[in-house]
Amino acid sequence: MSKRAEGKTVAILAADGFEEVELTSPKEALENAGAKTVVVSLESGEIQANQHRDKGIMVSVDKTLDDVKADDFDALLIPGGLFNPDTLRQSQKALDFTSKFFEQAKPVFSICHGPQVLISAGLVNGREMTGFTAIQQDLKNAGAVVRDEKVVVDKGLVTSRNPDDLPAFNDKIVEELCEGKHEAQKKSVAA
């Protein structure tokens, strides 16, 4: 298998209540392509996955938001889940960390309910995006141009709807990571 993403490091921003497969599947795809992944959370220790509404696996936190900065990474992944985005969007540190990736023109990947973090960070206005059906209206209300497709790419921002779309999402995030910075990502934040 090609290690075309070798030398790249991706932050996976997650908290308790992330949808298990929306973290584990993209993480595996990125690592299989040669990238290093780092699970970043609000606190050290472990975070609890969900499998829909049931409890899933525990995942070890590699670094806390206090220990990292966007400069340390080549891209950001925000998985969904019902509770993960709600927790993250209430943390100014998480919102600031996310915003820095846009300011630095780095790829950002988010699936399912994950784009709610982008809404709270004020990063979706004018962007072509998708997300879980239940948050598509929230995206529209925040100014996003919503497309109900498996995966939507807009200037380095990759969004997807749900676990059924993971094969297409995983392929696209590896591709975007390998492409690197997208200067239009930075320009869209300034607009």
Side-chain angles (χ1 to χ4, degrees), residues 75-76 102 105-110 127 152-159 176-177 179-185:
L76 173 65
F102 284 80
K106 294 178 179 177
V108 174
F109 318 130
S110 192
R127 302 303 295 266
V152 175
V153 181
D154 181 1
K155 305 174 198 122
L157 173 62
V158 181
T159 52
E176 292 296 309
L177 175 63
E179 285 181 11
K181 290 189 176 187
H182 293 73
E183 288 304 314
Q185 177 90 301

PDB file of all heavy atoms in Angstrom, residues 75-76 102 105-110 127 152-159 176-177 179-185:
ATOM      1  N   ALA A  75      -3.259  18.767   9.262  1.00  0.00           N
ATOM      2  CA  ALA A  75      -4.700  18.764   9.015  1.00  0.00           C
ATOM      3  C   ALA A  75      -5.430  18.465  10.321  1.00  0.00           C
ATOM      4  O   ALA A  75      -4.815  18.028  11.305  1.00  0.00           O
ATOM      5  CB  ALA A  75      -5.066  17.726   7.956  1.00  0.00           C
ATOM      6  N   LEU A  76      -6.752  18.670  10.284  1.00  0.00           N
ATOM      7  CA  LEU A  76      -7.611  18.445  11.444  1.00  0.00           C
ATOM      8  C   LEU A  76      -8.795  17.585  11.037  1.00  0.00           C
ATOM      9  O   LEU A  76      -9.418  17.833   9.999  1.00  0.00           O
ATOM     10  CB  LEU A  76      -8.124  19.791  11.977  1.00  0.00           C
ATOM     11  CG  LEU A  76      -9.165  19.744  13.094  1.00  0.00           C
ATOM     12  CD1 LEU A  76      -8.581  19.144  14.372  1.00  0.00           C
ATOM     13  CD2 LEU A  76      -9.716  21.148  13.368  1.00  0.00           C
ATOM     14  N   PHE A 102      -7.937  26.865   9.675  1.00  0.00           N
ATOM     15  CA  PHE A 102      -8.441  27.657   8.559  1.00  0.00           C
ATOM     16  C   PHE A 102      -7.507  28.831   8.288  1.00  0.00           C
ATOM     17  O   PHE A 102      -7.174  29.107   7.138  1.00  0.00           O
ATOM     18  CB  PHE A 102      -9.861  28.148   8.857  1.00  0.00           C
ATOM     19  CG  PHE A 102     -10.901  27.079   8.713  1.00  0.00           C
ATOM     20  CD1 PHE A 102     -11.097  26.151   9.718  1.00  0.00           C
ATOM     21  CD2 PHE A 102     -11.674  26.994   7.573  1.00  0.00           C
ATOM     22  CE1 PHE A 102     -12.061  25.157   9.594  1.00  0.00           C
ATOM     23  CE2 PHE A 102     -12.643  26.007   7.433  1.00  0.00           C
ATOM     24  CZ  PHE A 102     -12.823  25.079   8.453  1.00  0.00           C
ATOM     25  N   ALA A 105      -4.555  27.806   6.370  1.00  0.00           N
ATOM     26  CA  ALA A 105      -4.872  27.200   5.065  1.00  0.00           C
ATOM     27  C   ALA A 105      -4.679  25.686   5.047  1.00  0.00           C
ATOM     28  O   ALA A 105      -4.369  25.100   4.012  1.00  0.00           O
ATOM     29  CB  ALA A 105      -4.053  27.863   3.952  1.00  0.00           C
ATOM     30  N   LYS A 106      -4.868  25.037   6.197  1.00  0.00           N
ATOM     31  CA  LYS A 106      -4.684  23.588   6.288  1.00  0.00           C
ATOM     32  C   LYS A 106      -6.010  22.859   6.105  1.00  0.00           C
ATOM     33  O   LYS A 106      -7.069  23.384   6.477  1.00  0.00           O
ATOM     34  CB  LYS A 106      -4.082  23.231   7.646  1.00  0.00           C
ATOM     35  CG  LYS A 106      -2.674  23.765   7.810  1.00  0.00           C
ATOM     36  CD  LYS A 106      -2.119  23.451   9.182  1.00  0.00           C
ATOM     37  CE  LYS A 106      -0.694  23.965   9.319  1.00  0.00           C
ATOM     38  NZ  LYS A 106      -0.167  23.731  10.674  1.00  0.00           N
ATOM     39  N   PRO A 107      -5.976  21.654   5.561  1.00  0.00           N
ATOM     40  CA  PRO A 107      -7.200  20.883   5.368  1.00  0.00           C
ATOM     41  C   PRO A 107      -7.898  20.577   6.697  1.00  0.00           C
ATOM     42  O   PRO A 107      -7.246  20.323   7.710  1.00  0.00           O
ATOM     43  CB  PRO A 107      -6.719  19.592   4.710  1.00  0.00           C
ATOM     44  CG  PRO A 107      -5.388  19.913   4.128  1.00  0.00           C
ATOM     45  CD  PRO A 107      -4.797  20.965   5.020  1.00  0.00           C
ATOM     46  N   VAL A 108      -9.229  20.611   6.653  1.00  0.00           N
ATOM     47  CA  VAL A 108     -10.071  20.275   7.798  1.00  0.00           C
ATOM     48  C   VAL A 108     -11.112  19.279   7.317  1.00  0.00           C
ATOM     49  O   VAL A 108     -11.746  19.497   6.277  1.00  0.00           O
ATOM     50  CB  VAL A 108     -10.744  21.529   8.392  1.00  0.00           C
ATOM     51  CG1 VAL A 108     -11.733  21.151   9.498  1.00  0.00           C
ATOM     52  CG2 VAL A 108      -9.695  22.500   8.928  1.00  0.00           C
ATOM     53  N   PHE A 109     -11.288  18.196   8.088  1.00  0.00           N
ATOM     54  CA  PHE A 109     -12.206  17.121   7.728  1.00  0.00           C
ATOM     55  C   PHE A 109     -13.235  16.965   8.845  1.00  0.00           C
ATOM     56  O   PHE A 109     -12.860  16.884  10.016  1.00  0.00           O
ATOM     57  CB  PHE A 109     -11.457  15.796   7.566  1.00  0.00           C
ATOM     58  CG  PHE A 109     -10.142  15.914   6.834  1.00  0.00           C
ATOM     59  CD1 PHE A 109      -8.985  15.356   7.369  1.00  0.00           C
ATOM     60  CD2 PHE A 109     -10.056  16.581   5.624  1.00  0.00           C
ATOM     61  CE1 PHE A 109      -7.771  15.447   6.709  1.00  0.00           C
ATOM     62  CE2 PHE A 109      -8.838  16.676   4.947  1.00  0.00           C
ATOM     63  CZ  PHE A 109      -7.692  16.105   5.493  1.00  0.00           C
ATOM     64  N   SER A 110     -14.515  16.883   8.489  1.00  0.00           N
ATOM     65  CA  SER A 110     -15.540  16.730   9.515  1.00  0.00           C
ATOM     66  C   SER A 110     -16.715  15.944   8.961  1.00  0.00           C
ATOM     67  O   SER A 110     -17.134  16.146   7.823  1.00  0.00           O
ATOM     68  CB  SER A 110     -15.997  18.105  10.008  1.00  0.00           C
ATOM     69  OG  SER A 110     -16.768  17.981  11.171  1.00  0.00           O
ATOM     70  N   ARG A 127     -19.483  28.581   2.671  1.00  0.00           N
ATOM     71  CA  ARG A 127     -18.785  27.332   2.317  1.00  0.00           C
ATOM     72  C   ARG A 127     -19.759  26.279   1.819  1.00  0.00           C
ATOM     73  O   ARG A 127     -20.866  26.148   2.336  1.00  0.00           O
ATOM     74  CB  ARG A 127     -18.049  26.765   3.545  1.00  0.00           C
ATOM     75  CG  ARG A 127     -17.029  27.687   4.179  1.00  0.00           C
ATOM     76  CD  ARG A 127     -15.943  28.164   3.232  1.00  0.00           C
ATOM     77  NE  ARG A 127     -15.081  27.137   2.747  1.00  0.00           N
ATOM     78  CZ  ARG A 127     -13.902  26.800   3.291  1.00  0.00           C
ATOM     79  NH1 ARG A 127     -13.453  27.449   4.339  1.00  0.00           N
ATOM     80  NH2 ARG A 127     -13.175  25.839   2.771  1.00  0.00           N
ATOM     81  N   VAL A 152     -18.441  16.406   0.412  1.00  0.00           N
ATOM     82  CA  VAL A 152     -18.370  17.708  -0.249  1.00  0.00           C
ATOM     83  C   VAL A 152     -17.019  18.322   0.096  1.00  0.00           C
ATOM     84  O   VAL A 152     -16.614  18.346   1.260  1.00  0.00           O
ATOM     85  CB  VAL A 152     -19.518  18.642   0.206  1.00  0.00           C
ATOM     86  CG1 VAL A 152     -19.358  20.028  -0.401  1.00  0.00           C
ATOM     87  CG2 VAL A 152     -20.872  18.041  -0.168  1.00  0.00           C
ATOM     88  N   VAL A 153     -16.316  18.807  -0.928  1.00  0.00           N
ATOM     89  CA  VAL A 153     -15.007  19.428  -0.738  1.00  0.00           C
ATOM     90  C   VAL A 153     -15.101  20.886  -1.167  1.00  0.00           C
ATOM     91  O   VAL A 153     -15.604  21.188  -2.246  1.00  0.00           O
ATOM     92  CB  VAL A 153     -13.921  18.716  -1.584  1.00  0.00           C
ATOM     93  CG1 VAL A 153     -12.560  19.357  -1.346  1.00  0.00           C
ATOM     94  CG2 VAL A 153     -13.881  17.232  -1.251  1.00  0.00           C
ATOM     95  N   ASP A 154     -14.618  21.770  -0.300  1.00  0.00           N
ATOM     96  CA  ASP A 154     -14.607  23.198  -0.605  1.00  0.00           C
ATOM     97  C   ASP A 154     -13.313  23.802  -0.059  1.00  0.00           C
ATOM     98  O   ASP A 154     -13.177  24.007   1.139  1.00  0.00           O
ATOM     99  CB  ASP A 154     -15.823  23.885   0.015  1.00  0.00           C
ATOM    100  CG  ASP A 154     -15.886  25.373  -0.293  1.00  0.00           C
ATOM    101  OD1 ASP A 154     -15.000  25.894  -1.007  1.00  0.00           O
ATOM    102  OD2 ASP A 154     -16.814  26.029   0.201  1.00  0.00           O
ATOM    103  N   LYS A 155     -12.357  24.040  -0.943  1.00  0.00           N
ATOM    104  CA  LYS A 155     -11.108  24.720  -0.575  1.00  0.00           C
ATOM    105  C   LYS A 155     -10.396  24.073   0.607  1.00  0.00           C
ATOM    106  O   LYS A 155      -9.966  24.752   1.525  1.00  0.00           O
ATOM    107  CB  LYS A 155     -11.384  26.190  -0.263  1.00  0.00           C
ATOM    108  CG  LYS A 155     -12.084  26.949  -1.352  1.00  0.00           C
ATOM    109  CD  LYS A 155     -12.439  28.347  -0.874  1.00  0.00           C
ATOM    110  CE  LYS A 155     -13.493  28.947  -1.750  1.00  0.00           C
ATOM    111  NZ  LYS A 155     -14.682  29.328  -1.016  1.00  0.00           N
ATOM    112  N   GLY A 156     -10.298  22.764   0.614  1.00  0.00           N
ATOM    113  CA  GLY A 156      -9.596  22.075   1.697  1.00  0.00           C
ATOM    114  C   GLY A 156     -10.485  21.650   2.845  1.00  0.00           C
ATOM    115  O   GLY A 156     -10.038  20.946   3.743  1.00  0.00           O
ATOM    116  N   LEU A 157     -11.742  22.065   2.837  1.00  0.00           N
ATOM    117  CA  LEU A 157     -12.710  21.631   3.842  1.00  0.00           C
ATOM    118  C   LEU A 157     -13.466  20.440   3.277  1.00  0.00           C
ATOM    119  O   LEU A 157     -14.107  20.550   2.227  1.00  0.00           O
ATOM    120  CB  LEU A 157     -13.672  22.762   4.190  1.00  0.00           C
ATOM    121  CG  LEU A 157     -14.849  22.398   5.103  1.00  0.00           C
ATOM    122  CD1 LEU A 157     -14.357  21.912   6.457  1.00  0.00           C
ATOM    123  CD2 LEU A 157     -15.781  23.597   5.260  1.00  0.00           C
ATOM    124  N   VAL A 158     -13.382  19.301   3.966  1.00  0.00           N
ATOM    125  CA  VAL A 158     -14.045  18.085   3.514  1.00  0.00           C
ATOM    126  C   VAL A 158     -15.097  17.703   4.548  1.00  0.00           C
ATOM    127  O   VAL A 158     -14.775  17.513   5.721  1.00  0.00           O
ATOM    128  CB  VAL A 158     -13.048  16.913   3.350  1.00  0.00           C
ATOM    129  CG1 VAL A 158     -13.770  15.654   2.859  1.00  0.00           C
ATOM    130  CG2 VAL A 158     -11.919  17.292   2.404  1.00  0.00           C
ATOM    131  N   THR A 159     -16.362  17.628   4.117  1.00  0.00           N
ATOM    132  CA  THR A 159     -17.440  17.236   5.018  1.00  0.00           C
ATOM    133  C   THR A 159     -18.199  16.053   4.439  1.00  0.00           C
ATOM    134  O   THR A 159     -18.211  15.836   3.228  1.00  0.00           O
ATOM    135  CB  THR A 159     -18.406  18.415   5.280  1.00  0.00           C
ATOM    136  OG1 THR A 159     -18.843  18.961   4.033  1.00  0.00           O
ATOM    137  CG2 THR A 159     -17.721  19.504   6.104  1.00  0.00           C
ATOM    138  N   GLU A 176      -6.892  15.016   0.074  1.00  0.00           N
ATOM    139  CA  GLU A 176      -6.734  16.423   0.467  1.00  0.00           C
ATOM    140  C   GLU A 176      -5.522  16.618   1.370  1.00  0.00           C
ATOM    141  O   GLU A 176      -4.833  17.627   1.276  1.00  0.00           O
ATOM    142  CB  GLU A 176      -8.002  16.946   1.149  1.00  0.00           C
ATOM    143  CG  GLU A 176      -9.191  17.062   0.221  1.00  0.00           C
ATOM    144  CD  GLU A 176      -8.988  18.081  -0.882  1.00  0.00           C
ATOM    145  OE1 GLU A 176      -8.619  19.226  -0.588  1.00  0.00           O
ATOM    146  OE2 GLU A 176      -9.233  17.721  -2.052  1.00  0.00           O
ATOM    147  N   LEU A 177      -5.271  15.668   2.259  1.00  0.00           N
ATOM    148  CA  LEU A 177      -4.084  15.743   3.118  1.00  0.00           C
ATOM    149  C   LEU A 177      -2.823  15.761   2.260  1.00  0.00           C
ATOM    150  O   LEU A 177      -1.906  16.550   2.499  1.00  0.00           O
ATOM    151  CB  LEU A 177      -4.047  14.569   4.099  1.00  0.00           C
ATOM    152  CG  LEU A 177      -2.795  14.476   4.975  1.00  0.00           C
ATOM    153  CD1 LEU A 177      -2.671  15.692   5.895  1.00  0.00           C
ATOM    154  CD2 LEU A 177      -2.834  13.184   5.797  1.00  0.00           C
ATOM    155  N   GLU A 179      -2.559  16.764  -0.797  1.00  0.00           N
ATOM    156  CA  GLU A 179      -2.472  18.018  -1.551  1.00  0.00           C
ATOM    157  C   GLU A 179      -1.878  19.128  -0.703  1.00  0.00           C
ATOM    158  O   GLU A 179      -1.250  20.044  -1.223  1.00  0.00           O
ATOM    159  CB  GLU A 179      -3.864  18.438  -2.055  1.00  0.00           C
ATOM    160  CG  GLU A 179      -4.352  17.626  -3.209  1.00  0.00           C
ATOM    161  CD  GLU A 179      -5.721  18.075  -3.693  1.00  0.00           C
ATOM    162  OE1 GLU A 179      -6.208  19.146  -3.261  1.00  0.00           O
ATOM    163  OE2 GLU A 179      -6.304  17.346  -4.508  1.00  0.00           O
ATOM    164  N   GLY A 180      -2.098  19.082   0.606  1.00  0.00           N
ATOM    165  CA  GLY A 180      -1.512  20.068   1.503  1.00  0.00           C
ATOM    166  C   GLY A 180      -2.363  21.314   1.658  1.00  0.00           C
ATOM    167  O   GLY A 180      -3.580  21.265   1.575  1.00  0.00           O
ATOM    168  N   LYS A 181      -1.678  22.437   1.840  1.00  0.00           N
ATOM    169  CA  LYS A 181      -2.370  23.697   2.134  1.00  0.00           C
ATOM    170  C   LYS A 181      -3.214  24.154   0.962  1.00  0.00           C
ATOM    171  O   LYS A 181      -2.876  23.932  -0.195  1.00  0.00           O
ATOM    172  CB  LYS A 181      -1.368  24.786   2.507  1.00  0.00           C
ATOM    173  CG  LYS A 181      -0.717  24.562   3.844  1.00  0.00           C
ATOM    174  CD  LYS A 181       0.095  25.770   4.260  1.00  0.00           C
ATOM    175  CE  LYS A 181       0.659  25.552   5.659  1.00  0.00           C
ATOM    176  NZ  LYS A 181       1.306  26.751   6.168  1.00  0.00           N
ATOM    177  N   HIS A 182      -4.312  24.814   1.299  1.00  0.00           N
ATOM    178  CA  HIS A 182      -5.224  25.394   0.318  1.00  0.00           C
ATOM    179  C   HIS A 182      -5.368  26.866   0.656  1.00  0.00           C
ATOM    180  O   HIS A 182      -6.095  27.217   1.591  1.00  0.00           O
ATOM    181  CB  HIS A 182      -6.594  24.711   0.393  1.00  0.00           C
ATOM    182  CG  HIS A 182      -6.587  23.286  -0.035  1.00  0.00           C
ATOM    183  ND1 HIS A 182      -6.034  22.271   0.715  1.00  0.00           N
ATOM    184  CD2 HIS A 182      -7.057  22.693  -1.162  1.00  0.00           C
ATOM    185  CE1 HIS A 182      -6.174  21.130   0.077  1.00  0.00           C
ATOM    186  NE2 HIS A 182      -6.790  21.353  -1.060  1.00  0.00           N
ATOM    187  N   GLU A 183      -4.671  27.708  -0.060  1.00  0.00           N
ATOM    188  CA  GLU A 183      -4.684  29.137   0.250  1.00  0.00           C
ATOM    189  C   GLU A 183      -6.092  29.715   0.248  1.00  0.00           C
ATOM    190  O   GLU A 183      -6.386  30.649   0.990  1.00  0.00           O
ATOM    191  CB  GLU A 183      -3.769  29.906  -0.696  1.00  0.00           C
ATOM    192  CG  GLU A 183      -2.287  29.676  -0.430  1.00  0.00           C
ATOM    193  CD  GLU A 183      -1.859  29.994   1.006  1.00  0.00           C
ATOM    194  OE1 GLU A 183      -2.239  31.043   1.548  1.00  0.00           O
ATOM    195  OE2 GLU A 183      -1.122  29.172   1.590  1.00  0.00           O
ATOM    196  N   ALA A 184      -6.986  29.146  -0.546  1.00  0.00           N
ATOM    197  CA  ALA A 184      -8.363  29.628  -0.570  1.00  0.00           C
ATOM    198  C   ALA A 184      -9.063  29.371   0.764  1.00  0.00           C
ATOM    199  O   ALA A 184     -10.011  30.055   1.112  1.00  0.00           O
ATOM    200  CB  ALA A 184      -9.136  28.967  -1.708  1.00  0.00           C
ATOM    201  N   GLN A 185      -8.594  28.379   1.511  1.00  0.00           N
ATOM    202  CA  GLN A 185      -9.131  28.109   2.850  1.00  0.00           C
ATOM    203  C   GLN A 185      -8.928  29.343   3.736  1.00  0.00           C
ATOM    204  O   GLN A 185      -9.840  29.790   4.424  1.00  0.00           O
ATOM    205  CB  GLN A 185      -8.411  26.889   3.449  1.00  0.00           C
ATOM    206  CG  GLN A 185      -8.806  26.527   4.855  1.00  0.00           C
ATOM    207  CD  GLN A 185      -9.951  25.549   4.877  1.00  0.00           C
ATOM    208  OE1 GLN A 185     -11.022  25.825   4.364  1.00  0.00           O
ATOM    209  NE2 GLN A 185      -9.743  24.413   5.493  1.00  0.00           N
TER     210      GLN A 185
END
